[in-house]
Amino acid sequence: MASILFEIQHNIGFITLNRPDKLNAFNREMALLLQNTLDECASSKEVRAVHITGAGKGFCAGQDLAEVIDPNGPGMDSILSEHYNPIITRIRNLPKPVVAAVNGVAAGAGANIALACDVVLATVSASFIQAFSKIALIPDSGGTYTLPRLIGWQKASALMLLGDKVSATDAEKMGMIYKVFEDDLFEEESKKIAITLSQLPTKSLGYIKHVLNYSANNNLEEQLLLEDQFQQKAAVTKDFNEGVNAFLEKRKANFTGE
Ligand code: T3D
């Protein structure tokens, strides 16, 4: 069985992390397959939004710890540079919205991959764990960049040092994730949000992502210049024309992503 499942429906690339017996922990094969699948989503004209979830009861338990100690495994010196860092940069640079549909526990790199996505949704029974300190590692997969920016330094610091489990409801309250849904509604609601995103003006969503990527490190002047630059790019898209005309004609816009 493939460790990554992928299908395109309603202009959405549906990615399922598929090692349910291991709570979808990553081995090398799965990490490389996810990279390839994200590349496919980036280049496919049909895909206008991406939805990532986990098979079975978990979202992702991070690195497969059995692989770490396997003498024939990839080795600690290559796991971040070849597996997780390229996944995080692909998610952030993909010029289309990526939804993390966190259907269960998200631990270690699994939590930080979810948090790198543009819209993070979770079932009420899901949880997030910066599990690294429990095995004497440090948070990776962009966690030390993303988490303090999402929830503030103090909460990020305590969660990373203690490795405490955060319920989806608490994660929503502290601004770590966007929304929580009851378990029985989760699949439908998370897909609905992906469908909404897939029908919005794709290029402008890509530009929003790009500009937001820089906002954490730019000063106001630099950010204003970047907004100016990308607003001009957005203003020459077909979808901008369609959006303005639809508003003036009092009808629903039909965005094509161009
Ligand atoms: O170079 C590098 O390696 C650096 C890269 C680091 C990236 C990282 O992600 S480091 C962090 C790695 N992840 C963890 O430390 C989390 C380990 N897992 C857990 O702590 C727990 O499984 C959970 C809290 C996530 C969930 O607990 P629970 O009680 O719901 O499930 P469980 O019974 O522990 O797990 C179910 C099965 O999945 C179990 O297998 P079994 O006994 O039924 O055959 C368990 O061994 C397996 N599993 C869970 N996580 C992993 C795993 N197998 C391999 N690797 C895992 N990470």
Side-chain angles (χ1 to χ4, degrees), residues 21-23 25 61-65 68 76 79 107-109 129 132 140:
D21 297 349
K22 308 276 177 203
L23 294 177
Q63 171 61 34
D64 185 323
L65 295 175
V68 172
M76 285 293 275
I79 287 182
I129 314 174
F132 308 88
D140 56 34

Side-chain angles (χ1 to χ4, degrees), residues 154-227:
Q154 173 56 215
K155 279 202 156 53
S157 159
L159 288 179
M160 287 177 167
L161 296 171
L162 293 164
D164 281 346
K165 182 195 272 197
V166 179
S167 70
T169 313
D170 284 347
E172 182 190 18
K173 278 190 203 139
M174 60 175 81
M176 192 191 295
I177 65 172
Y178 181 52
K179 261 187 193 168
V180 173
F181 295 102
E182 292 299 329
D183 291 7
D184 55 341
L185 299 176
F186 183 65
E187 196 179 332
E188 191 189 333
E189 293 296 333
S190 73
K191 285 183 177 170
K192 251 196 240 169
I193 290 179
I195 289 171
T196 300
L197 288 164
S198 74
Q199 293 171 349
L200 287 170
T202 313
K203 281 193 177 163
S204 106
L205 301 197
Y207 298 154
I208 292 171
K209 257 185 98 154
H210 182 83
V211 171
L212 274 177
N213 279 346
Y214 282 86
S215 80
N217 298 318
N218 271 351
N219 63 32
L220 177 61
E221 209 166 296
E222 290 163 336
Q223 197 64 13
L224 288 172
L225 282 174
L226 196 65
E227 286 176 2

Side-chain angles (χ1 to χ4, degrees), residues 80 112 130 132-133 137-144 156 160-161:
L80 293 192
N112 291 337
Q130 294 293 322
F132 308 88
S133 64
L137 287 181
I138 69 151
D140 56 34
S141 305
T144 57
M160 287 177 167
L161 296 171

